[in-house]
């Protein structure tokens, strides 16, 4: 009788215990880790600094190109003026020869005396016309040269001022870029520290919802990261893997936005083990893609994703020798079913 009265209470206790166990993360998988869905701040800061660094670099490169164009314009002006200087010098030489000839032929006499003494007055007049034409041409050349000199002086002053402004702007941009890079590097390793703590605990810190880029992809498939260097490839050997490398590694800095290569659904978010923080997607064609060694995730298990959507940030969690993204394509969500990701993407129009 006593047992009968206590049985409902025992049943309730067991049910509560089962509910608590069910709420705990199984090997760090899924969206059940404590705090999941809360924003980490550091991941969002890394993403923001990442974008600011890219924008500062683009501004610096634009300023550098403008400075090169300004220098090229100044050089073209200098070459043009040099040509006009040579032309003027040639006219001076011609006039000098004519004057010397006149002096030898009695250039000091008045024109009337020349005509009276000349054997051929008509020839003399033609000579005088040549002299006057040479003088007029020289006057024009001198005027043109003086105007060109004045124009060049103005253009050089403008170019010098523009160059100075560009140099100042580029110096400021370079300083801004370095400051952003310093902050970004510090934030990256802080983010990685959080990732390492999550992996050690076997529980994800939670999705960091990132502001998605404005880019809208018109293709169904994209590369998993925007800029990268390919490192370890599919099937390559090495001491770090039990058999062969099962994916394609993309060498990228910590915090680099990682993109879904195609539309699909998040079937797993895990923390711990050799892959560290990892995401597995199932795509509409039945294939699965894995994104491993992350520093943070931006999606929850069960989320729908679109091509190019930021789903996480790269890192060096788990069994990793340096910052990179391990990208894998599988026919099932589990290890051991990987296919060559480079050729798989190539068949979908993505060339790495």
């Amino acid at each position: 009788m006593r047992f009968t009265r206590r049985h409902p209470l025992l049943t309730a206790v067991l049910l509560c215990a089962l509910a608590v166990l069910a709420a705990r993360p199984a090997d760090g998988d899924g969206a059940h880790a404590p705090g999941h869905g809360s924003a980490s701040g550091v991941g969002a800061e890394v993403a923001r600094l990442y974008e600011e660094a890219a924008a500062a670099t683009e501004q610096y490169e634009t300023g550098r190109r403008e400075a090169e164009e300004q220098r090229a314009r100044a050089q073209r002006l200098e070459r043009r003026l040099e040509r006009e200087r040579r032309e003027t010098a040639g006219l001076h030489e011609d006039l000098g020869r004519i004057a010397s000839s006149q002096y030898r032929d009695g250039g000091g006499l008045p024109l009337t005396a020349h005509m009276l003494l000349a054997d051929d007055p008509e020839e003399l007049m033609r000579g005088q016309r040549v002299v006057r034409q040479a003088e007029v041409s020289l006057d024009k050349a001198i005027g043109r040269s003086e105007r060109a000199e004045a124009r060049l002086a103005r253009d050089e002053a403008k170019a010098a001022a523009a160059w100075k402004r560009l140099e100042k702007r580029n110096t400021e941009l370079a300083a801004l870029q370095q400051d952003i890079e310093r902050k970004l590097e510090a934030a990256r390793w802080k983010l990685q520290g959080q990732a390492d703590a999550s992996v050690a605990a076997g529980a994800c810190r939670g999705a960091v919802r990132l502001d998605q880029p404005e880019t809208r992809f018109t293709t169904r498939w994209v590369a998993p990261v925007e800029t990268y260097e390919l490192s370890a490839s599919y099937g390559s050997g090495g001491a770090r893997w039990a058999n062969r490398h099962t994916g394609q590694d993309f060498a990228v800095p910590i915090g680099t936005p990682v993109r879904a290569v195609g539309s699909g659904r998040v079937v797993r978010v895990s923390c711990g083990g050799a892959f560290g923080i990892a995401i597995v997607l199932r795509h509409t064609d039945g294939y699965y893609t894995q994104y491993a060694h992350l520093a943070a995730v931006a999606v929850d298990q069960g989320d729908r994703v679109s091509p190019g959507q930021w789903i996480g940030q790269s890192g060096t969690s788990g069994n990793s020798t340096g910052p990179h993204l391990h990208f894998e394509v599988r026919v099932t969500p589990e290890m051991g079913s990987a296919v060559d990701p480079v050729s798989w993407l190539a068949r979908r129009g993505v060339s790495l």
Side-chain angles (χ1 to χ4, degrees):
M1 194 72 173
R2 185 180 304 151
F3 178 78
T4 303
R5 284 199 302 271
R6 294 183 63 183
H7 185 269
L9 178 60
L10 178 61
T11 303
V13 170
L14 288 173
L15 287 174
C16 289
L18 288 172
V20 170
L21 288 172
R24 293 179 59 189
D27 298 327
D29 290 354
H32 306 294
H36 201 86
S38 61
S40 159
V42 179
E45 180 187 4
V46 169
R48 178 179 57 80
L49 289 170
Y50 183 91
E51 291 296 295
E52 287 183 6
T57 300
E58 185 176 352
Q59 289 177 348
Y60 178 80
E61 288 301 313
T62 300
R64 185 185 59 79
R65 287 192 296 271
E66 289 175 355
E68 290 299 323
E69 292 170 1
Q70 187 66 46
R71 177 185 292 167
R73 283 194 294 270
Q75 290 173 342
R76 287 195 297 271
L77 286 169
E78 188 62 42
R79 286 194 296 269
R80 186 176 69 187
L81 181 63
E82 186 58 33
R83 287 195 301 270
E84 292 179 346
R85 283 171 180 156
R86 287 196 298 269
E87 291 174 2
T88 304
L91 288 169
H92 272 286
E93 289 178 4
D94 290 343
L95 190 60
R97 283 193 296 270
I98 293 171
S100 297
S101 176
Q102 278 188 305
Y103 179 78
R104 286 194 302 271
D105 296 338
L109 294 174
L111 179 59
T112 304
H114 274 292
M115 293 181 67
L116 291 172
L117 295 173
D119 295 332
D120 187 353
E122 192 66 32
E123 183 67 26
L124 177 64
M125 291 301 296
R126 283 197 296 272
Q128 290 295 328
R129 282 196 296 272
V130 170
V131 171
R132 282 196 296 274
Q133 288 172 355
E135 289 176 342
V136 170
S137 296
L138 181 59
D139 289 340
K140 289 181 178 179
I142 291 172
R144 188 168 63 247
S145 178
E146 289 175 347
R147 289 191 298 274
E149 289 278 4
R151 184 171 61 250
L152 178 66
R154 290 193 302 272
D155 291 341
E156 284 181 336
K158 290 179 182 177
W163 181 261
K164 190 174 181 179
R165 287 194 301 272
L166 286 168
E167 284 293 305
K168 181 181 178 182
R169 177 190 174 196
N170 279 7
T171 301
E172 292 171 350
L173 284 172
L176 174 64
Q177 186 181 18
Q178 290 173 1
D179 182 55
I180 293 173
E181 287 290 350
R182 283 193 296 268
K183 291 178 181 177
L184 179 57
E185 189 66 12
R188 278 170 172 162
W189 286 107
K190 186 176 180 181
L191 180 66
Q192 184 59 45
Q194 292 183 347
D196 293 338
S198 296
V199 171
C204 294
R205 291 181 60 85
V208 178
R209 299 295 181 178
L210 302 175
D211 292 333
Q212 295 296 320
E214 294 182 1
T215 305
R216 293 292 178 267
F217 292 95
T218 56
T219 56
R220 293 181 57 199
W221 303 95
V222 300
V225 283
E226 185 175 0
T227 56
Y228 53 83
E229 287 186 13
L230 296 178
S231 50
S233 57
Y234 175 80
S236 59
R240 298 189 298 277
W241 310 298
N243 295 302
R244 293 286 179 179
H245 193 228
T246 54
Q248 174 62 58
D249 285 352
F250 296 79
V252 288
I254 293 170
T256 300
V258 174
R259 310 187 296 197
V261 297
S263 60
R265 185 173 61 86
V266 181
V267 297
R268 181 179 299 161
V269 177
S270 59
C271 300
F275 287 122
I277 299 176
I279 297 170
V280 177
L281 305 181
R282 185 184 190 280
H283 298 285
T284 53
D285 60 358
Y287 281 92
Y288 297 80
T289 54
Q290 183 204 39
Y291 312 77
H293 304 305
L294 302 177
V297 296
V299 290
D300 287 317
Q301 187 170 310
D303 283 355
R304 296 282 180 182
V305 297
S306 56
Q309 180 180 331
W310 288 355
I311 59 172
Q313 291 168 280
S314 65
T316 182
S317 60
N319 183 15
S320 171
T321 58
H324 74 284
L325 168 70
H326 174 87
F327 174 71
E328 199 166 301
V329 178
R330 300 170 177 173
V331 295
T332 76
E334 308 302 330
M335 288 179 59
S337 62
V339 298
D340 184 354
V342 175
S343 59
W344 185 85
L345 282 173
R347 290 194 297 272
R348 287 156 177 77
V350 181
S351 178
L352 301 179

